[in-house]
Amino acid sequence: MDIRLFRPGALLPAVLLAGCVTASKPPKPYLPATEVPALAETDPVGTGNADAADDPAIWRNAADPAASLIVATDKKAGLYVYGLDGKVRDFVPAGALNNTDLRTVRMADGSSRILVGASDRTDKAEPRIALFSLDGARAKLTGLGSDSFLPAGHAPAEAYGFCMGAPLAAGELARAYVVLKDGTVMESRLVERDGAIVPEYLRKVKFATQSEGCVVDDATHTLYVAEEDVAIWRVALKAPVLAGEAVAHVGEADGLVDDIEGLAIARDAGGRGWLIASSQGDNAYALFDLGTGKFAGRFRINGGAIDGTSDTDGIEAVIGDFGPQFPEGLFVAQDGDNAPQAQNFKLLSWREIREALGLR
């Protein structure tokens, strides 16, 4: 089942005036934000002198929180595993993996597995989902294959954003969402078949322009998608037809300066939750209360012994105990300018973000 979203004026043709001089674009606004320092950073990705680091995911080790892990993409080369000290624990050369997500799934034999997925755009005409198994104790990744999920007859397309959500029907391990570069979001279910985990296409929703960041709120079975120059959209996943409802727009009222990039959900043990968005255009992060839908504040990563961030693509947040340095939770953000080294990821304490923004 498909639906396409339009806004007033979306179908008007663009008019180009030959011989006219186009005025330079005005600078993007730099909106107020509270500064919060990074407490740690990862080793740089291996691809230097390029836009390479992109998107992180967090695995919390409940038995030993300080031994938790971060999985993150070098979108030119593959997938990294980092410890909370920022040191590389593993790297898998796996091609052009753009966005990543992970979750613990229950297999048919009753065992559990830390399943890592990523949007694979190694072939820019045939989007794929690359899957891996993460050994939390050894901090090692094992490749499970990369499979196409496009339905028969679909036009060539480039995989871009990626996120996973809880299963919504019997026999599923999880739901997977790939955001194509043209704004189409493809929903698949991940299932076991002949000893392998594979995606099976289900349905899609189409946004009007380029989109990438996405995240699923399992508590409400809601998908959030960032249409980069326009808005954050909310999609009810249990509805018979996927449809988008705008919840925040580019502009000062919602604290967002285009591009809107990575999205993350942070929920505490009491059920209180926040949607976090990378306001890439002014190097900041905007929060929205998931209970009220209201804008809840903005922060920038700056100050302290570690440099700040700029041009952030992917982000991730998990509330919970991550050891003495991150006692209430962990926030991870890609840094688009880590000069003179290659790009990397910055680690922040959720407690410091919460206190800085007065979140209760």
Side-chain angles (χ1 to χ4, degrees), residues 101-190:
D101 200 0
L102 61 80
R103 61 181 44 244
T104 300
V105 300
R106 181 70 63 181
M107 306 299 289
D109 64 4
S111 64
S112 62
R113 172 178 286 182
I114 306 168
L115 183 64
V116 178
S119 52
D120 185 350
R121 58 175 181 168
T122 304
D123 182 343
K124 292 190 176 182
E126 184 180 24
R128 293 174 175 268
I129 297 174
L131 295 174
F132 306 83
S133 178
L134 173 64
D135 183 329
R138 298 173 55 246
K140 298 296 182 183
L141 287 166
T142 301
L144 302 177
S146 181
D147 289 288
S148 175
F149 54 87
L150 288 182
H154 195 282
E158 180 180 350
Y160 208 39
F162 179 82
C163 55
M164 290 194 288
L168 299 177
E172 300 175 354
L173 300 176
R175 290 282 170 104
Y177 301 88
V178 178
V179 185
L180 305 182
K181 204 165 189 178
D182 69 353
T184 304
V185 183
M186 312 287 280
E187 181 186 45
S188 299
R189 60 179 184 173
L190 299 178

Side-chain angles (χ1 to χ4, degrees), residues 18-261:
C20 290
V21 177
T22 302
S24 61
K25 293 182 179 179
K28 292 181 178 180
Y30 201 74
L31 305 179
T34 301
E35 293 189 349
V36 181
L39 298 185
E41 63 181 329
T42 68
D43 290 338
V45 297
T47 303
N49 300 315
D51 179 21
D54 197 89
D55 189 48
I58 298 169
W59 174 71
R60 180 177 173 272
N61 186 335
D64 186 2
S68 298
L69 301 170
I70 299 163
V71 177
T73 58
D74 177 335
K75 61 187 177 185
K76 310 291 186 184
L79 205 56
Y80 281 92
V81 180
Y82 298 100
L84 297 189
D85 59 359
K87 301 301 181 184
V88 174
R89 299 290 195 268
D90 194 21
F91 174 73
V92 177
L97 304 184
N98 201 55
N99 283 189
T100 189
D101 200 0
L102 61 80
R103 61 181 44 244
T104 300
V105 300
R106 181 70 63 181
M107 306 299 289
D109 64 4
S111 64
S112 62
R113 172 178 286 182
I114 306 168
L115 183 64
V116 178
S119 52
D120 185 350
R121 58 175 181 168
T122 304
D123 182 343
K124 292 190 176 182
E126 184 180 24
R128 293 174 175 268
I129 297 174
L131 295 174
F132 306 83
S133 178
L134 173 64
D135 183 329
R138 298 173 55 246
K140 298 296 182 183
L141 287 166
T142 301
L144 302 177
S146 181
D147 289 288
S148 175
F149 54 87
L150 288 182
H154 195 282
E158 180 180 350
Y160 208 39
F162 179 82
C163 55
M164 290 194 288
L168 299 177
E172 300 175 354
L173 300 176
R175 290 282 170 104
Y177 301 88
V178 178
V179 185
L180 305 182
K181 204 165 189 178
D182 69 353
T184 304
V185 183
M186 312 287 280
E187 181 186 45
S188 299
R189 60 179 184 173
L190 299 178
V191 299
E192 291 184 75
R193 185 196 304 152
D194 300 327
I197 300 175
V198 296
E200 293 181 347
Y201 170 78
L202 295 173
R203 53 188 179 168
K204 65 183 178 182
V205 58
K206 176 71 171 69
F207 299 97
T209 62
Q210 182 169 305
S211 307
E212 180 179 4
C214 70
V215 68
V216 175
D217 182 6
D218 285 338
T220 59
H221 300 293
T222 302
L223 170 70
Y224 293 88
V225 179
E227 187 181 3
E228 294 183 359
D229 295 335
V230 181
I232 300 172
W233 298 86
R234 175 172 57 204
V235 180
L237 296 177
K238 286 196 169 181
V241 175
L242 294 182
E245 175 188 6
V247 296
H249 294 83
V250 167
E252 188 167 353
D254 288 332
L256 295 169
V257 180
D258 59 315
D259 293 346
I260 309 170
E261 287 285 340

